[in-house]
Amino acid sequence: MPETLEQSAGRFDTVLIANRGEIAVRIQRACRELGLKTVAICSEADRQAPYGKTADSFLCIGPSSAAKSYLNQDAILLAARLAGAGAIHPGYGFLSENAAFADAVEKAGLVFIGPTASSIAIMGDKISAKRAMMAAGVPCVPGPDTALPDDPATIERIALEIGYPVIIKAAGGGGGRGMRVVPKADVLHEAIALTREEARKAFGSRSLYMEKFLEHPRHIEIQVICDDHGNAVWLGHRDCSMQRRHQKVVEEAPARGIAPDIIQPVGLACVQACLQIGYRGVGTFEFLYEDGAFYFIEMNTRLQVEHPVTEMTSGVDIVQAQIRAAQGHVLDLIQGDVTCEGHSFECRINAEDPETFLPSAGVVTHLALPAGPGIRVDTHIHAGYKVSPYYDSLIAKLIVHAPTRAEAMARMREALAGTEVEGISTNIPFLRALFEDGAFAQGETDIHYLEQWLKLRRAT
Ligand code: MV4
């Protein structure tokens, strides 16, 4: 008898988590809940990590430098073989959006918990991503879905057609790297020359594209989850406009003040795009939102830091769903089942100097974490934990959920008041002040708001 889809699923029973910090804890929890065994890996700096003790196996794979440990593909594949892992979860950052790694994992006979290498590669090239989105009917920022030519006259014509200001972006960039705003024609060619040179050095590709520059957008993203059997749903939207230098600081779900009939067709277009490219697992479509319209900018092909706010409002365990999709299970969710209940905020607690924003390393001498209804803390730290200078400064995520946005803000104020971290500097004082801000409470914020607020705060 031929196997049914569900019988053929289950492809692995042990997962190697190729990451560290809070997300390693989060993924380990999801694996255990699904009855899967876990393999934790670490660098020398992370030998004392608490998630090493709770994993079924724990291997040190290299020195503290990320390049020699969490980015060392051969060491990770060897660890997976030694520990008998059947799958690798890359988390976020590190190797999570590396198409060559996804390919190497599959070639080693293991499952990469994420989309195919080809999906990662399409989205990694921002021009091919835009082309795929336009083909699927996803609204994009005005501008061609092809690389800029070298001919100066043609470039000038494209800019005039779009209308100044325009923005030049590197196809190999993303996340704010390799882009330059061009206010008017007289600086166009200079901007292109500079961005080309930066792109060649940073991404090994001189390929550029041009878009209309939107001056005061919000950053809104749509979360999707897809299986291997042609099913896909979107789980709602988030506002991630509160950022400094392309580092998000506060995220919320849903994005406030967006009418369902405006977002609905955008969500459906994202689902359509996933089906067209044969997307698998979780993904995020990033949009700029200005004057009531959505404009696609990039797709993230990984689990994101801010996934918890969508978990709170949708009730879906996104990490479990991602792992189940990688096992080959049919999505146990249809679009009609997806709801959005209440409002959720996430604050990223960073170990950083409040003035310089430089990472603050050292020992956590005292730690108090908040608890109570609608409060969730995702963290890997404890009193006595040594924050190392080698990695990202994120030490905890404070997540709240309440019936309304105003109640969720009040709950976050309460959660922040109950959070005490001593021994290292953190951004907690600044988050407390931000949650007292009137314009933020009113939701009158765009992607530039936080940087302007910080500037004003320093001046007074
Ligand atoms: C833009 C833009 C305005 N117009 N594209 C920055 C990160 C990268 N994902 C895309 N980015 C932007 N693209 C057009 N056509 C403004 C930004 C931008 C931004 C976007 C989202 C969140 C924060 C931002 C901060 C500065 C600039």
Side-chain angles (χ1 to χ4, degrees), residues 36-50:
L36 298 168
K37 291 203 283 288
T38 60
V39 181
I41 59 164
C42 73
S43 68
E44 278 166 16
D46 285 333
R47 272 185 194 282
Q48 302 304 319

Side-chain angles (χ1 to χ4, degrees), residues 167 169 176 179 211-214 219 243 246 298 447:
I167 185 167
K169 295 181 175 179
M179 48 186 234
E211 290 182 336
K212 177 78 184 171
F213 177 64
L214 305 178
H219 177 163
Q243 55 82 43
H246 305 293
E298 288 171 25
I447 59 169

